Amino acid sequence: MSKIKYELLHVDKYSKARRGRIHTPHGIIETPVFMPVGTNSTVKGLTNDQIKNIDSEIILSNAFHLFLRPGMEIMKDFEGIHNFMNWNKPLLTDSGGFQVFSLKDRKISEEGVLFRSPLDGSKIMMTPEKSMEIQQTIGSDIAMAFDECVNAKWGYEYMKDSVDRTYRWAKRSFEAHKKENQSLFGIVQGGLFSDLRQRSLEQITSIPFDGFALGGLAVGEKYQESEKVLKEFGDKLPKDKPRYIMGIGSPTMMFLSVENGMDMFDCVLPTRMGRHGTALTWNGKLNLKSAKNKFDHSPIENDCNCYACKNHTRGYINHLLKRDEMLGKTLISIHNLYFNIHLIHKMREAIENDSFLDFKKEFFSNSSYPLQN
Ligand SMILES: [Zn+2]
């Protein structure tokens, strides 16, 4: 099989939540799915075995960072990222759009974005064609079109021009993409303006991409603002293709996204929090650095089947964190990713039983996570 194929299995009776399956060249992904982030071709602090043991079906990596380091010469020499990091399951790369636009010193033109390399200051031109070349060299199963990530604060007129430019770049991405065993997703932009979101959605979905993403969310907007976009546009994305919302990973936002028909999410949150000593549990967040864990013989979470909880106590992990031992961060990262992935597993079961909204209610009444944030 060359490209991905999406199968819609079931839609929850009382919400737009959907249960699906994506067939990829490196195996099957059940959806909804949470994708751990491996920016530098490593999910920070975890071995591939550890990633697989938390039941991760797909990981995400970053075209922009891999382009800078190790660079495409090395990526070519190793014949792509799967060989390079010895990962034999599905992998998605983002296009680098978000990272390029986070740089201070950059200039946008019709051709693309001119920026200075954060490594040596040399000038680099990133274009849709260049982004496709990079992602094809990396060899991810799913690549993303090159789009402009716009700050909503830049105003309506700028956003309008940007939406049209993103459409032209999406067409150029689609035309430049030739790799047969790699799928390409388009990204709908438009910020928080309903008419521009609608415009972008019509433009981007007119191109026969293999899947579609909502971009430009999870960039500091209010919960109500992302909720409005998701409610209005989540289910307007084509029903027969995977739907991806970028940068989402908190329980609050994952519930909101699934409820509105989205299938795929990624976020650095579980591993970042892990490195800072905070665990995600079914009750809420737990600070393992706190001295109250010192004599605690219980695992991070009772009844959790992750490696950290099966083998180690809160007291031991507290000690590792106090001594700044890397194992402490690894153990909490394992637990946090396991938590996110298995929370999604429970959502899948609930969708199959048409009880997604009941499950959501139960989850928030039994935990301190905010229903809205
Ligand atoms: Zn655990």
Side-chain angles (χ1 to χ4, degrees):
M1 189 189 47
S2 56
K3 302 240 179 199
I4 62 159
K5 193 177 148 279
Y6 176 75
E7 246 184 294
L8 177 59
L9 301 174
H10 185 71
V11 180
D12 178 64
K13 252 188 200 162
Y14 308 101
S15 71
K16 296 165 191 160
R18 26 190 249 161
R19 182 66 186 91
R21 187 171 288 153
I22 306 171
H23 301 262
T24 83
H26 285 98
I28 287 172
I29 306 161
E30 303 288 339
T31 63
V33 66
F34 176 77
M35 306 184 280
V37 178
T39 303
N40 292 314
S41 68
T42 161
V43 176
K44 283 191 199 306
L46 271 68
T47 65
N48 286 348
D49 278 353
Q50 288 168 332
I51 303 169
K52 286 174 187 167
N53 287 339
I54 51 172
D55 302 319
S56 175
E57 292 157 278
I58 174 171
I59 59 171
L60 181 140
S61 198
N62 186 291
F64 177 70
H65 287 284
L66 296 177
F67 164 69
L68 293 177
R69 282 178 295 203
M72 291 302 106
E73 284 303 305
I74 291 171
M75 210 38 95
K76 261 183 211 151
D77 197 63
F78 278 85
E79 295 175 2
I81 193 168
H82 286 93
N83 269 343
F84 186 53
M85 66 179 289
N86 193 26
W87 174 254
N88 57 9
K89 295 178 85 173
L91 186 141
L92 180 149
T93 40
D94 64 13
S95 67
F98 181 75
Q99 283 72 26
V100 170
F101 287 97
S102 317
L103 298 171
K104 276 192 187 122
D105 192 7
R106 46 149 180 68
K107 205 167 164 248
I108 300 154
S109 64
E110 185 59 31
E111 192 192 353
V113 189
L114 185 68
F115 64 96
R116 284 192 186 278
S117 162
L119 295 184
D120 59 9
S122 63
K123 280 188 177 172
I124 301 172
M125 185 74 190
M126 187 62 72
T127 62
E129 291 77 14
K130 180 85 183 164
S131 174
M132 292 307 106
E133 187 192 319
I134 293 167
Q135 293 185 79
Q136 291 180 97
T137 302
I138 293 169
S140 47
D141 299 274
I142 300 170
M144 301 301 295
F146 187 68
D147 63 335
E148 184 178 3
C149 301
V150 180
N151 190 324
K153 289 174 192 131
W154 295 350
Y156 183 88
E157 284 309 314
Y158 187 90
M159 184 67 82
K160 187 161 180 285
D161 287 347
S162 168
V163 157
D164 291 346
R165 185 161 41 243
T166 283
Y167 176 42
R168 294 191 293 274
W169 287 2
K171 284 193 281 193
R172 281 166 57 192
S173 296
F174 189 81
E175 275 158 30
H177 186 262
K178 304 286 181 216
K179 199 174 171 71
E180 285 195 351
N181 59 355
Q182 184 180 57
S183 296
L184 183 63
F185 282 20
I187 305 172
V188 173
Q189 290 286 352
L192 305 172
F193 303 105
S194 265
D195 61 329
L196 297 184
R197 274 278 168 200
Q198 178 65 31
R199 182 184 179 95
S200 183
L201 187 130
E202 284 168 18
Q203 289 172 335
I204 300 296
T205 57
S206 73
I207 305 169
F209 284 116
D210 303 301
F212 294 94
L214 283 181
L217 292 172
V219 289
E221 74 280 1
K222 292 192 186 100
Y223 173 89
Q224 283 75 13
E225 292 171 325
S226 31
E227 182 187 36
K228 187 168 170 278
V229 173
L230 273 160
K231 278 201 163 141
E232 196 173 350
F233 297 102
D235 208 41
K236 279 191 186 170
L237 291 167
K239 296 206 182 321
D240 59 345
K241 303 269 173 82
R243 301 162 170 178
Y244 168 24
I245 177 161
M246 308 167 90
I248 293 288
S250 69
T252 305
M253 290 308 294
M254 289 198 299
F255 269 103
L256 176 70
S257 304
V258 171
E259 184 176 345
N260 288 290
M262 303 303 290
D263 305 311
M264 304 165 76
F265 325 94
D266 75 280
C267 193
V268 296
L269 183 116
T271 40
R272 181 173 289 165
M273 288 178 76
R275 293 198 301 282
H276 288 100
T278 301
L280 299 162
T281 78
W282 287 82
N283 297 318
K285 289 179 193 167
L286 173 72
N287 176 10
L288 285 156
K289 278 186 169 170
S290 156
K292 67 178 182 205
N293 296 291
K294 268 188 184 174
F295 295 95
D296 197 331
H297 289 236
S298 56
I300 298 174
E301 180 145 57
N302 288 318
D303 306 326
C304 175
N305 284 317
C306 85
Y307 175 86
C309 293
K310 283 284 179 202
N311 290 282
H312 295 295
T313 62
R314 292 183 182 189
Y316 177 61
I317 295 171
N318 173 262
H319 159 72
L320 293 176
L321 293 171
K322 282 270 150 45
R323 298 299 321 204
D324 200 25
E325 284 289 344
M326 59 176 128
L327 181 61
K329 300 173 184 187
T330 293
L331 290 173
I332 310 173
S333 295
I334 288 174
H335 170 83
N336 285 354
L337 287 173
Y338 187 95
F339 170 82
N340 257 26
I341 287 168
H342 288 83
L343 172 58
I344 293 279
H345 285 189
K346 296 277 184 201
M347 290 189 200
R348 289 178 191 164
E349 275 174 39
I351 296 168
E352 284 163 10
N353 298 324
D354 293 315
S355 58
F356 179 79
L357 294 178
D358 293 337
F359 175 61
K360 179 183 171 186
K361 202 169 156 193
E362 188 192 320
F363 177 84
F364 286 104
S365 60
N366 291 331
S367 74
S368 57
Y369 298 105
L371 182 58
Q372 304 185 353
N373 60 6

